[in-house]
Amino acid sequence: LKTNALLLIECIKTRRKKEMICVNSVTVSPKNLELKVGDEGYYLYASVSPSNVTCGEVEWSSNRSNVVSINAYSGYIYARREGTATIKVRATDGSGEYDTCNVTVSAAKTSVSSVVIEPDSLCIDEDESYSLSVTVLPTNATNKALSWSSTDECVATVVNGTVYAHN
């Protein structure tokens, strides 16, 4: 009787082990990501296989959370500062399976909102020149380069903010 009971218990354990289907691979998408400081609302996606795993849940982590932080359960990313980080997505079933995404965070671009030129009108004599005062806003704009032109180069030309009067 004892021997039959032990065989029955062993059989139940074996059946339970067979029913447990572990993760054999985790895949993250995308594999590489480029963000700007302050970017948020981006989600990484992970898939596990086989599709019929017993426990297909994953957990996310960042090796440099001061550069890129990630919600451990949703894959939601926030780019905190310039640098690089590796995001790891790991199966929680104990299989040890994981995948990674390399994230590069660069400085955020700030667009020019306006250019103020002073004076806004100018009268100068032929063969004279005048340097205009220029302010690009906002002051932290990423690219403050200006392109100068004249609507009538027979009357005046402009080079790097200096007006040269002709006829």
Side-chain angles (χ1 to χ4, degrees):
L1 187 65
K2 245 183 183 180
T3 306
N4 288 343
L6 290 175
L7 286 174
L8 179 61
I9 291 170
E10 194 61 38
C11 181
I12 291 171
K13 285 181 182 178
T14 303
R15 282 187 188 159
R16 285 186 183 158
K17 285 180 185 175
K18 286 182 182 176
E19 290 174 11
M20 176 77 173
I21 300 171
C22 291
V23 172
N24 62 25
S25 73
V26 176
T27 305
V28 67
S29 178
K31 294 283 189 193
N32 297 292
L33 184 60
E34 293 184 13
L35 299 172
K36 302 289 182 204
V37 173
D39 282 354
E40 61 180 291
Y42 195 92
Y43 286 90
L44 291 178
Y45 297 96
S47 59
V48 296
S49 62
S51 59
N52 62 338
V53 296
T54 304
C55 176
E57 294 177 9
V58 296
E59 187 173 79
W60 301 88
S61 61
S62 172
N63 72 329
R64 296 187 64 207
S65 58
N66 60 333
V67 174
V68 177
S69 62
I70 188 161
N71 181 290
Y73 304 102
S74 69
Y76 176 87
I77 288 181
Y78 182 74
R80 296 183 170 279
R81 69 176 202 171
E82 289 181 71
T84 58
T86 300
I87 301 298
K88 183 177 186 178
V89 58
R90 178 185 62 79
T92 61
D93 68 346
S95 63
E97 295 297 318
Y98 70 92
D99 197 7
T100 60
C101 172
N102 298 310
V103 182
T104 301
V105 180
S106 56
K109 290 183 180 178
T110 303
S111 299
V112 172
S113 61
S114 66
V115 177
V116 179
I117 301 173
E118 294 178 358
D120 57 0
S121 64
L122 180 64
C123 292
I124 57 174
D125 293 329
E126 186 177 338
D127 296 327
E128 287 187 357
S129 64
Y130 186 87
S131 292
L132 300 171
S133 171
V134 180
T135 305
V136 177
L137 298 173
T139 57
N140 66 338
T142 304
N143 182 357
K144 295 182 185 181
L146 299 174
S147 177
W148 296 92
S149 64
S150 170
T151 57
D152 189 346
E153 291 193 354
C154 290
V155 175
T157 54
V158 186
V159 177
N160 295 327
T162 301
V163 179
Y164 298 92
H166 302 298
N167 294 330

